[in-house]
Amino acid sequence: MSATRFLSAIGQISRQQLLQNKCARAYPAAAQLQRRLMATNPAPAPLAAASGANKHLHTKVVNGVLVIKFDSPNAKVNSLGAEVSDEFERVIKELETNPSVNSAVLISGKPGCFVAGADISMLEDCKTAEDATLISHGAQIMFERMERSRKPIVAAISGVCLGGGLELALACHYRIATKDNKTKLGLPEVMLGLLPGGGGTVRLPKLSSVPTALDLSLTGKQVRADRAKRLGIVDLLVDPLGPGLQPAAQNTIDYLEKTAVQVANDLASGKLRINREKSGLVNKLQALVMDTDYVKNKIFDTARKQVLKATGGLYPAPLKILDVIRTGVDKGTDAGYEAERKGFGELSATPESKGLFALFRGQTECKKNRFGKPERPVKTVGVLGAGLMGAGIVQVSVDKGYNVIMKDATDAGLARGIGQVQKGLETALKRKRISALERDQTLAHLLPTLNYNDFKTADIVIEAVFEDINIKHKVIKELEAVVPEHCVIATNTSAIPITKIAAGSSRPEKIVGMHYFSPVDKMQLLEIITHPGTSKDTIAQAVAVGLKQGKVVITVGDGPGFYTTRILATLLSEAIRLLQEGVDPKELDQYTKKFGFPVGAATLADEVGIDVGSHIAVDLAKSFGDRFSGGNLQAMQDLVLAGFLGRKSGKGIFLYDGQSKGSRPVNTDAHEIFKQKYSLVSKGANTPEDLTLRMVSRFVNEAVLCLEEKILDSPLEGDVGAVFGLGFPPFTGGPFRWVDLYGAGKLVSKMQSYGELYGAPFKPAQTLLDMAKDPSKKFYPKTAASKL
């Protein structure tokens, strides 16, 4: 053992000193930064003076076990930040030096959360990759100190244990977890364009397996406690307790702590010994095989191909994760840690990571109700229409604890809707997300009906009938005849102005738009649309319902197409024009996918529905004139007349036979319609880059116009809506952040060159022209702190 490590083990050297000694040698360029950090973060005060000063970590000794309770004040979750790190150093020193303590237990004081991850404001403060590397190295040293402790440390996990929280638990000698739906473990750093930076890429393959480490690190998925035990990540499961003198959650935490204290004592006394050797012939053969280069190459090569197929090579983090884990597997612990911290630093400085950070912040903000608390809570939700969309709205409402009334005009329609809800619950049961009892309890909250009178107790009714203004006026009148005065009536429409819908209401202040995206149970976005007469409380009610449904909510102003439909229509209009110019549909898909959209433009037109797109395009063209020109509207109508409605009819721009996997065949009959009747000769700007930017620039420009016209409240909501509703590349952070990165001057120059060829659709928004003249103007001049 080196002198430095020996001193660390007996608690005579601080984490800052370790960083200065070890990090500065590994990264001479960061030495200056380390001195600056030392100046602003002095070494912790001696234990005697500091023991009562902890804000986040509270300690007590139970039967010789130091119980360390995480409970950050004024926060819903625990996170690992600078203050926690300093307090943790003092606590670990107490463990190491206190002779009356034989072991330790780490537990959370917050039901439903162990540790949610690291405070990423630390990374946002980093000016260089080296700064982030230093943060990673500090975490590695702290967790290694825990791992090498002579006194066993037990992690008692209840609730989410993610990112740095899981890496903290992995550094403990033993892990106990509650076996419930709230306890989930995972490494979501890849979702922010990062990799686990606290030793997770090295410890997890050893503790579990290389395939498990790749799966969790590359996907960011979360696993429940019982699966984590099967994977070797958790050692012991504890069943949750029911209510008694205290609430069930508190009883479970107390029982978990009692169990963990007993385990810690047994580990310290030698009564319980940890043996992680794989037993059995199959496991031993598997371990032997995994040591061969051939098998390792096969695993990593397969994973790399899957990553490239899924990401198109646009996200650097998954590829770096593969390299880092491979280094640790092949070259050992020290090399693995070095590769991890360097990779962490490099990724933190990438524009992809910065874009994903920004998107995370936006998503977090859109999970808050900026309109305040509603005057009365919603208990009963009514849904009018049991079609695909209506049943989807029912599904995301009834499983969140609402009493739900679902009405349709016919028995057959109602049966179809009930079947969709039941199928969703059966899928959740099969995947062990819910129990059979929970399924039955959920269905007990659903009242299917053919009678409007059953809406008499509803607090909000969401109508999901056909997109026809006359039908919507009719059902609103029928609803207002039976619902209570306080009831909000929300219309699920993708394009009809809410002002026009509210004109048919006797209480327009209670009318609001709630635009869900299909499939409702999978798509995260909810676009709430207000008209000038919508009351603030009505908006607050709609947002509160959306948030409880688990949606990311943006609230926009009224206008043709609102926000998402309007900006999408511009991209699809240009896509149709490109098809008329002779671009092959498969090539067209590739252009938008290479830019980062998850679905190609031609495929997206089929997914939306050619008939739906055609109908909306006509209305938007009437409202906005030449700016919405591009593809010939009659061409789309001819496709509809030919029965080519898109995926739902089995034929659109592509053919959908239900058997083809991967690339679908082009519908040659549809292609012939473009070629024979609506063929156009390209006027120019037809390189792959220009063809892509012709679509993207119109999309982005329209988003900026929506901000100018106050359809959008902020660029943040515009970015969230475009990414979560329409698939704008997440790594860009959204269209507004993309402009900041790409450069308004460059975008305006491109659009003006396209405008010389194609006219009005490429006239830049005034905001973009202003930003092009003054490069210091940005949509996001500053970034705010947030947590992972």
Side-chain angles (χ1 to χ4, degrees), residues 148-294:
R148 292 180 177 275
S149 171
R150 292 172 289 107
K151 298 178 181 181
I153 304 173
V154 176
I157 304 165
S158 182
V160 293
C161 176
L162 305 174
L166 178 55
E167 291 181 290
L168 169 68
L170 292 176
C172 295
H173 303 96
Y174 200 87
R175 284 156 294 282
I176 307 173
T178 54
K179 187 182 177 182
D180 58 27
N181 290 335
K182 291 184 178 180
T183 299
K184 294 181 180 179
L185 298 84
L187 296 171
E189 288 88 347
V190 70
M191 310 300 286
L192 287 181
L194 297 174
L195 54 75
T201 63
V202 174
R203 288 191 180 90
L204 190 55
K206 292 180 178 179
L207 189 65
S208 182
S209 67
V210 170
T212 296
L214 290 175
D215 186 33
L216 296 186
S217 302
L218 292 173
T219 64
K221 70 168 59 170
Q222 300 173 20
V223 296
R224 296 178 1 148
D226 52 354
R227 182 158 181 235
K229 186 176 187 302
R230 292 196 298 272
L231 294 172
I233 301 171
V234 166
D235 297 296
L236 180 67
L237 295 176
V238 169
D239 289 320
L241 300 183
L245 295 177
Q246 299 183 100
Q250 190 58 52
N251 282 339
T252 298
I253 288 288
D254 291 346
Y255 178 51
L256 176 64
E257 180 182 317
K258 182 178 179 181
T259 303
V261 167
Q262 182 62 54
V263 168
N265 262 320
D266 288 347
L267 287 170
S269 67
K271 184 177 179 181
L272 175 64
R273 296 184 181 277
I274 301 171
N275 180 12
R276 303 198 190 282
E277 258 190 58
K278 308 287 185 184
S279 59
L281 180 61
V282 173
N283 285 327
K284 289 182 178 179
L285 285 173
Q286 185 178 1
L288 184 65
V289 168
M290 279 299 302
D291 278 338
T292 66
D293 287 338
Y294 174 79

Side-chain angles (χ1 to χ4, degrees), residues 22 86 143 157 160 166 506 524 609 689 724 729 740 749 771:
K22 298 182 74 174
D86 288 341
F143 293 160
I157 304 165
V160 293
L166 178 55
S506 61
Q524 296 184 61
E689 179 191 359
F724 287 97
D740 283 349
S749 176
M771 292 171 68

